[in-house]
Amino acid sequence: MLVLDILLETWLLLNQISIYLIFGFLIAGILSVYVPKNFIEKNLGKKSGFLSVFKASILGVPLPLCSCSVIPVAASLKQHGASKGAISSFLLSTPQTGVDSIMVTYGLLGPIVALIRPIIALITGLVGGIFVQFFDQKIEDSIQETCRDHCCGTNERSILWRIFNYSFVVLPKDIAKPLIYGILIASCINLLLPDTIFMDYMGDGILSMLFMILIGTPIYVCATASIPIALAMMSKGATLGAVMVFLMVGPATNITSISTMFKILGKKSTILTLFILVFLSLFFGSLVNNLTFINANLALQSVHSHSHHTSNFHSFFSVIFIGILINTVFIPKFFNK
C-alpha cells in the first residue's frame, strides 16, 4: 500500500512539473546552440577585472550546461586566461539555476520565486567572483579537462537536430537520475514526515537554514531536481528562507564539484567561494523570510497547487516526459547513430 501511495504521489508531482520541464528543455536546447562553448570562451577567456566577473555571472544564470560540461568549461576558461574571479563567478551562478529549473520554479513556487532565484544566483556569482578577484590573483598552471559527452560534440549536424538532441537527449540524460531521485524523495517527504516537523524541531530561524546547508552541501542535486524536494519540505513547515538556502547550496555544491574546484581554483579561492556561498545563502534566506509579500504570494501559489486536479492535459505531458526518460536511460544512442 505504501509503494502504491508513493507511486500515486509521484504521478501527481509529475503532472505538476512535466509541462514546465519539457518547455524548459526546449528553450535550453535553443540556448545550447546559440550560446555555444566558444562564445563563452571568447567573452571570458583572456579577460580580467570586474567586467569579466559580471559577464560570467550573466552568462551562467540561463546557460543549459550539463554537469559534464560545467567543469570542463571552467577548466577551458582557465586555459584561455580567464581570471579566477570570473571562473569562481561562473561556477557559482551556473549550477544554481537554468532555463529548465526556472520553468519548474514558476510552475511549483510561482512567478515571484522564479524571478528572485536567478537574481540571487546572479548576485552570488558577482559577489563570489569579486571576492576571489580581490583576494587571490595568483595564476597557476593550466589543467587539462576534456568533456567527451554529447554536450561537447561537433556542429556537423543541422541546427534543428542539435536543438532537439540537446533538449530531449543530452539534458534529460544529465539530470534524469537526480531528477527521479528528487521526485521520489519529495513524494516520501510528503507521505511519511509529520506536517509540523520543521516547526517542532528546528523552528523558523537560523537553525533550519543551517540544517539545509548541512544536507545540501555534500549531496548532488541539480537545480531542477531540488525544486520538488524544496516544495515537499515547505509542506512540512520549512520556511521559504530555509528552502532558498537549500536551492542555493544544494545545486552549487557536492563532494565531486568541491574537489574539482580545488583543482581548478586552488585552495584559497575554493574556500573563499564556498564561504561566500554559505554566507549569502544565510543572508538571502533571512531576507526572504522577512519579505511578507513574497511569502503571501507563495501561500496563494501553494493553495493553488494543492487544489489542482490531475487533468488529461497534464497527464499527456507526463507521459511524454516519461517517454523522454525511457529513451534517455535505455536507448541513449538512438539519436547519435
Side-chain angles (χ1 to χ4, degrees):
M1 184 64 68
L2 177 60
V3 174
L4 290 177
D5 289 339
I6 292 175
L7 290 176
L8 177 60
E9 189 71 25
T10 300
W11 174 253
L12 293 174
L13 196 52
L14 275 177
N15 273 266
Q16 288 182 272
I17 69 175
S18 291
I19 184 172
Y20 300 103
L21 274 170
I22 290 171
F23 280 103
F25 286 168
L26 185 58
I27 297 172
I30 295 171
L31 283 177
S32 73
V33 171
Y34 289 101
V35 189
K37 179 181 174 182
N38 58 1
F39 175 85
I40 302 170
E41 292 170 350
K42 180 180 178 181
N43 281 271
L44 299 181
K46 296 182 180 179
K47 296 181 185 296
S48 61
F50 175 78
L51 183 59
S52 67
V53 172
F54 180 75
K55 284 185 176 181
S57 295
I58 289 289
L59 287 173
V61 169
L63 277 182
L65 289 177
C66 57
S67 61
C68 86
S69 59
V70 170
I71 294 300
V73 169
S76 178
L77 291 177
K78 182 177 181 179
Q79 293 170 347
H80 284 74
S83 66
K84 285 187 176 182
I87 297 170
S88 174
S89 178
F90 188 77
L91 288 172
L92 280 173
S93 64
T94 304
Q96 285 191 55
T97 187
V99 288
D100 54 327
S101 68
I102 291 172
M103 292 292 290
V104 178
T105 303
Y106 175 86
L108 293 186
L109 299 177
I112 294 181
V113 179
L115 177 63
I116 66 173
R117 193 179 178 195
I119 291 175
I120 288 175
L122 173 64
I123 295 173
T124 306
L126 281 173
V127 175
I130 290 171
F131 266 77
V132 169
Q133 186 83 5
F134 185 80
F135 287 105
D136 188 7
Q137 298 182 11
K138 180 182 178 182
I139 304 298
E140 297 166 351
D141 294 336
S142 295
I143 61 171
Q144 299 294 325
E145 290 282 346
T146 302
C147 178
R148 302 185 183 277
D149 217 311
H150 306 280
C151 49
C152 301
T154 65
N155 294 333
E156 296 175 358
R157 302 276 190 164
S158 68
I159 290 177
L160 189 61
W161 185 93
R162 284 187 283 143
I163 288 174
F164 277 86
N165 182 59
Y166 191 94
S167 298
F168 303 120
V169 178
V170 176
L171 185 56
K173 178 182 178 181
D174 187 55
I175 71 170
K177 287 184 178 179
L179 182 59
I180 292 170
Y181 293 152
I183 292 173
L184 289 175
I185 290 171
S187 300
C188 292
I189 290 174
N190 281 330
L191 289 173
L192 302 177
L193 294 185
D195 289 341
T196 59
I197 185 170
F198 274 88
M199 293 303 299
D200 290 344
Y201 293 99
M202 282 170 280
D204 57 0
I206 192 71
L207 184 60
S208 61
M209 298 182 197
L210 292 174
F211 174 74
M212 294 298 187
I213 292 173
L214 182 65
I215 64 172
T217 299
I219 64 172
Y220 172 65
V221 53
C222 65
T224 304
S226 65
I227 302 166
I229 299 175
L231 186 67
M233 289 190 289
M234 288 189 66
S235 71
K236 302 305 176 181
T239 64
L240 179 56
V243 163
M244 290 304 299
V245 170
F246 180 75
L247 291 175
M248 290 177 66
V249 175
T253 62
N254 60 75
I255 296 299
T256 302
S257 67
I258 291 173
S259 63
T260 310
M261 285 171 66
F262 274 104
K263 186 178 179 182
I264 295 176
L265 292 175
K267 181 178 180 180
K268 185 176 181 179
S269 289
T270 299
I271 292 174
L272 275 172
T273 300
L274 295 175
F275 172 79
I276 291 299
L277 177 64
V278 169
F279 175 80
L280 287 182
S281 69
L282 294 173
F283 171 78
F284 282 117
S286 300
L287 180 63
V288 166
N289 273 344
N290 288 284
L291 294 177
T292 306
F293 75 95
I294 294 179
N295 289 278
N297 176 270
L298 189 64
L300 292 175
Q301 178 72 19
S302 179
V303 170
H304 173 75
S305 296
H306 285 87
S307 63
H308 182 73
H309 298 288
T310 299
S311 66
N312 291 333
F313 177 76
H314 290 86
S315 297
F316 172 74
F317 280 97
S318 295
V319 171
I320 292 178
F321 179 68
I322 291 172
I324 292 172
L325 291 181
I326 291 174
N327 174 69
T328 296
V329 174
F330 295 106
I331 46 176
K333 297 182 180 180
F334 180 77
F335 289 102
N336 298 291
K337 292 181 179 179

